[in-house]
Amino acid sequence: MNQARLIPSGYKVESKRRFSALIAAAFLLMFFGVNLIALNRFPPFIDETVHIRTGELVLQNFSPLEGINLGRQFTVLWFALFQPAASDALWVARAATLIAALVGLAAIMGIARLAAGTWGMIFAALLYSFNSYHHFYGRLALADPVSGTAVLAALYFAYRLSRRAAWQDAALCGICLFLAVGAKINSLPYYGIPVAAAFA
């Protein structure tokens, strides 16, 4: 008797999902570990010090609206959560950027898995993890990497929305875009993502 017939098809699907989840978790850990090395090697950018100082003022003045004129409020609040000024300010703020970037990598892997399966997910994770641009710019305590992460998450939900009509995906796409614009106002043009997904 053929043993393949004895194994339920649902079991195979579940087994593939677990395998993909384990690979994704391994890539997230690898990405975080690789990018954590020599995090302080680059000198501070002026914008990094502005974000850290504004986050410090948020905590000192108990005002979440401190520095709202910068157009990067959610980024400032994100850094304030980690209180970088209380220890090694630059390292902590950059590590907080990396933590946010994990969501972006997860979104990239999710899109690639939906589009091209597990091997597509692996290839996309490798490209994203060892991209020299992200290895430099994506590790800095700036608003762009934090906002970009939210945009990538919005793209993931929009891609799912283009494949199936579900209000949960539409709502999550909208929430991610709201967070992206709150992290940096320059992300406003990305509000066209759900429209493109609807047309797709």
Side-chain angles (χ1 to χ4, degrees), residues 89-131:
L90 195 61
W91 190 93
V92 172
R94 288 178 176 178
T97 304
L98 277 180
I99 291 169
L102 292 175
V103 175
L105 175 57
I108 290 285
M109 288 191 293
I111 293 168
R113 186 175 180 278
L114 287 173
T118 303
W119 284 108
M121 179 188 78
I122 291 169
F123 186 66
L126 284 170
L127 279 178
Y128 191 83
S129 297
F130 295 104
N131 182 313

Side-chain angles (χ1 to χ4, degrees), residues 79-163:
F79 292 146
L81 285 175
F82 295 88
Q83 300 183 35
S87 53
D88 186 349
L90 195 61
W91 190 93
V92 172
R94 288 178 176 178
T97 304
L98 277 180
I99 291 169
L102 292 175
V103 175
L105 175 57
I108 290 285
M109 288 191 293
I111 293 168
R113 186 175 180 278
L114 287 173
T118 303
W119 284 108
M121 179 188 78
I122 291 169
F123 186 66
L126 284 170
L127 279 178
Y128 191 83
S129 297
F130 295 104
N131 182 313
S132 58
Y133 175 81
H134 289 293
H135 190 68
F136 169 70
Y137 195 66
R139 304 193 313 161
L140 302 179
L142 300 172
D144 302 86
V146 177
S147 179
T149 286
V151 169
L152 288 172
L155 282 171
Y156 168 71
F157 291 117
Y159 187 74
R160 281 197 349 185
L161 189 62
S162 72
R163 295 167 67 102

Side-chain angles (χ1 to χ4, degrees), residues 21 31 34 42 48 119 144 146 169 173 185 198:
F31 174 84
V34 165
F42 306 118
E48 288 183 293
W119 284 108
D144 302 86
V146 177
D169 289 336
C173 181
I185 195 72

